[in-house]
Amino acid sequence: MSTEASGSGDASTATTPPMIKAVSADKYFGDLHVLKDINLEVPRGQVVVVLGPSGSGKSTLCRAINRLEPINSGSIEVDGEPLPAEGKALAALRADVGMVFQQFNLFAHKSIVENVTLGPVKVRKISQSEARTTAMELLERVGIADQADKYPAQLSGGQQQRAAIARALAMKPKVMLFDEPTSALDPEMVQEVLDTMTSLADEGMTMVVVTHEMGFARRAAHRVIFMADGEVVEDSTPEDFFSNPKSDRAKDFLGKILTH
Ligand SMILES: Nc1ncnc2c1ncn2[C@@H]1O[C@H](COP(=O)(O)OP(=O)(O)OP(=O)(O)O)[C@@H](O)[C@H]1O
Ligand SMILES: [Mg+2]
């Protein structure tokens, strides 16, 4: 694991663009300024954990990266390409940027394996049989191949979230965004989802993870970004952030998290 904060990564990153690059990105909801001059580069293969108090803009940042929320000014690029505004290019971007939410958002009336094949068949134009083969491999990988023909409601929360991860991976994304993927889970199911995410990180996936799981942040993250009031207030290694937070807001946040 790299210990560099902004991480030059391997030698190939010298010639290839960062996987995610935000330049002076601003986002407003009406008068509310929720992302303030965000400048962020995530090299490929890096795992970034985003921390911060409620309302600091963590979800909005994730949603801006796959353009579920358009920004008002500045720019965001994924793998060297500016985010497309609409149409086929936007669908392709969404396929490249996998997203996993707190609520699993599986299609309730489709089986688990159907949930995983749907996107590749529709968006990636993969044949049904090939999509199914890949889906079964992915379900195997996240440990729920035996649940393939069940419906989401028949699975535990942890299994549903792993299905959601498999569904995102089926699109062969370049980057994965996780927005509090374990927050809706019963405690005993948190670890199985974190283990799935850790193995994904070990395989070199570029990941942006909003989470309150400090153990995951310490173990799996190359970098911690701390947000407050729409700004990136700290950007450092996990070791640095947890042992030596610089801002009062980060100290205050850590005090609350670690003592609650
Ligand atoms: N669709 C929306 N319309 C108006 N305001 C919004 C909308 N979505 C978010 N906001 C506001 O933008 C700010 C940032 O919200 P965001 O959801 O990004 O925070 P967060 O850091 O993810 O918080 P949490 O930890 O509670 O999930 C908040 O003040 C929120 O109320
Ligand atoms: Mg949020």
Side-chain angles (χ1 to χ4, degrees):
M1 187 193 293
S2 163
T3 52
E4 291 164 70
S6 53
S8 55
D10 58 87
S12 66
T13 54
T15 51
T16 50
M19 191 55 88
I20 300 168
K21 181 175 181 180
V23 180
S24 304
D26 282 283
K27 169 74 184 172
Y28 294 82
F29 286 115
D31 291 338
L32 193 63
H33 197 178
V34 291
L35 293 179
K36 298 175 183 163
D37 191 29
I38 302 290
N39 292 284
L40 178 66
E41 283 195 17
V42 181
R44 52 200 66 224
Q46 191 172 69
V47 178
V48 180
V49 162
V50 181
L51 301 175
S54 181
S56 56
K58 307 178 298 293
S59 294
T60 306
L61 176 63
C62 283
R63 294 167 62 82
I65 293 171
N66 75 349
R67 217 179 179 287
L68 286 169
E69 293 290 355
I71 53 173
N72 296 96
S73 60
S75 67
I76 299 180
E77 294 179 2
V78 171
D79 199 15
E81 302 282 338
L83 296 191
E86 55 195 15
K88 277 190 179 151
L90 182 57
L93 167 87
R94 295 258 167 78
D96 281 346
V97 182
M99 182 134 184
V100 174
F101 302 89
Q102 181 173 343
Q103 298 302 336
F104 326 123
N105 295 341
L106 296 167
F107 295 108
H109 57 289
K110 302 259 184 216
S111 71
I112 296 302
V113 69
E114 285 168 349
N115 264 279
V116 181
T117 55
L118 215 63
V121 170
K122 239 175 125 171
V123 180
R124 295 287 200 204
K125 308 293 179 204
I126 309 287
S127 74
Q128 187 68 43
S129 67
E130 190 186 335
R132 196 178 167 93
T133 305
T134 307
M136 288 310 299
E137 285 166 10
L138 286 168
L139 291 175
E140 188 75 51
R141 185 161 142 202
V142 302
I144 53 166
D146 53 341
Q147 310 293 321
D149 295 316
K150 289 191 184 168
Y151 287 86
Q154 297 173 296
L155 270 59
S156 74
Q159 290 170 329
Q160 287 187 59
Q161 192 59 300
R162 286 183 284 154
I165 293 172
R167 181 178 61 175
L169 292 176
M171 301 297 267
K172 300 201 173 16
K174 294 175 176 175
V175 43
M176 286 281 285
L177 310 176
F178 293 86
D179 191 0
E180 300 200 25
T182 59
S183 297
L185 299 177
D186 290 337
E188 70 270 24
M189 288 164 194
V190 168
Q191 198 55 46
E192 65 196 34
V193 172
L194 294 178
D195 288 346
T196 301
M197 292 166 62
T198 302
S199 65
L200 204 54
D202 290 344
E203 288 160 26
M205 178 64 79
T206 309
M207 294 167 49
V208 175
V209 184
V210 179
T211 185
H212 299 298
E213 293 296 331
M214 298 301 141
F216 176 83
R218 281 177 186 274
R219 273 194 316 277
H222 301 119
R223 178 178 179 191
V224 167
I225 284 174
F226 176 74
M227 291 183 73
D229 290 332
E231 286 176 285
V232 173
V233 176
E234 303 211 13
D235 182 349
S236 58
T237 61
E239 300 82 61
D240 244 24
F241 181 74
F242 289 112
S243 60
N244 185 25
K246 288 169 194 67
S247 61
D248 287 342
R249 282 188 288 193
K251 286 176 193 165
D252 182 50
F253 173 81
L254 282 172
K256 283 180 184 142
I257 283 251
L258 300 176
T259 54
H260 86 154

